[in-house]
Amino acid sequence: MEHYKTLVPYIEQTLRKNWDLLALTDFKGQSFQYRDVARKVAKLHLLFENAGLKPGDRIALCGRNCAQWAIAAIASMTYGTVAVPILHDFKPDNVHHLVCHSGARLFFVDAHTWENLDHDNMPDLEGAILINDYSLLFSRNKKLTEARENLNRLFGEKYPERFTPADVKYRKEDPDATVLINYTSGSTGFSKGVMLSYRNLWSNIQYCIDGLDFLYPGDGMVSMLPLAHMFGFTVEMLHPFVKGCHISFLTRTPSPKIIMEAFAEVRPKLIVAVPLILEKIVKTKVFPVIDKPLMKVLLHVPYVDNRVLAKIKDKLLAAFGGNLRQIIIGGAGLNREVETFLRRINFPYTVGYGMTECGPLIAYCPWDTQRPSSCGKVVDRMEIKVDSPDPVNTPGVLWVKGDNVMQGYYHNDDATKSCLHPDGWMNTGDIGTIDADGYIYIRGRDKSMILGPSGQNIYPEEIEQQLNNMPYVAESLVVDKDNKLVALVYPDMDLVTREKLTEQQIESLMKENIANLNKALPSYSQLADVKILHEEFEKTPKRSIKRYLYQ
């Protein structure tokens, strides 16, 4: 495909070149060809123009993933307005606040979200539009009301013959203009509006074009991550869209059954997922099989073990649709036991590293050159450094600089100054090391680091990773209580129910886990106690535990 130095020409060329191909589908629902997307974008541009919207005005979007959500975002980006994606999991008060904070003039919203909102709490909002069919939910702007009522007539007047690929011409963007304000999902308890420019998004898309060169027009893609999350927006939606792929949106909260159905039907070459999805499939479908006595024997017999593992790999690939070239894991590292097994069978997965503030890409590496526990190397047009006297062996805060780095936080100069220096270097808040070959290893978050009794740095994420590998543990969190390390553990309830374990038995098993784990930990980071939770940890939409709730 042709290479461009800015974002909007990539959107123009995919609409023109892939006119008759399927573009966006709501899984088990409606589908749109690229020509349909182009027409809808043209109509939305007319709506924005006649309602008096100017480039730079904000348009909020909030709702479950669907094709019309993506079209509205593409229309905003190509018109010059600033899209403000808001996670639909946010509570109504939070949505009200973010619509007001961003100064959004228009609001695309789904019916489920809208019924819990009150437009009186968004006094500057001029109108709300139902994402599903672009009907007007309410309006304080007479021009908007008239434009929506007469949209088909306006479209007919502008394109009296017929709408063709030649009509797909958008305004030339300023690479340094803001195109998106993305509010972070709040794992530290406070949502900040990350301002991303056209250059930021272009750099991310260009890296995907160059680095994921096995996707072609017509290839299927499943969109599972929230579109209001930058990994979902950029890597799962916008990048395959500019390549002419056919993207299927899981319009409900993706259950394992729906995900498997979608993989079987779409047969994706690329899957972008949080670790939980891959871990769950391996732990429930594969580990019980290889833990059987006969299988354990076979896996220790030379030649036989390779044939057995090859069959397991084939079955695992089939579970993902049978056409898989690569799975990219983002948001967190992979469980070590699962990672070790996947490496043993040469499974095509890799772990990337990113954050909203980089739109999202910071590091990536193809699966066949990835190293265990690493999240790859820094991506093109970016630099990374460790604030440490010995970056290879002594962990320090990771700093990044380059074309992916945000412009700052919207209306929050203090937060911007605290992490973004005038020379362009940004503090990621992550602790890590970088080996001599440039591979990056994340140890934990700077904010979650615990200071040991003699000043040692304790990274709770490292302890949690080991604890999560132990019997009957689904997930855990290590916290500091009165200068003692305590493990909060949510047990594997499927296993607990299957084996009919009592409270007392669970407690005894967890204490045994802690005792075994402590044998492998330095004295300063040993666990003093364990507390069992009866409900899952509260999480952000990208499935990170909201640590601040448990400190």
Side-chain angles (χ1 to χ4, degrees), residues 2 31 33 39 58-59 63 89 126 144 179 191 222 332 353 380 402-403 408 460 472 514 537:
E2 285 182 61
S31 288
Q33 292 171 288
R39 283 176 65 90
R58 271 80 60 210
I59 296 176
D89 304 70
E126 294 177 25
L144 172 66
V179 64
S191 290
V222 178
Y353 166 50
D380 297 345
D403 282 358
Y472 302 97
I514 298 301
F537 291 97

Side-chain angles (χ1 to χ4, degrees), residues 16-35:
R16 290 192 202 121
K17 283 186 178 177
N18 303 301
W19 197 247
D20 295 319
L21 291 180
L22 280 171
L24 311 172
T25 291
D26 293 335
F27 189 61
K28 306 290 187 192
Q30 59 185 342
S31 288
F32 302 94
Q33 292 171 288
Y34 278 86
R35 67 197 303 160

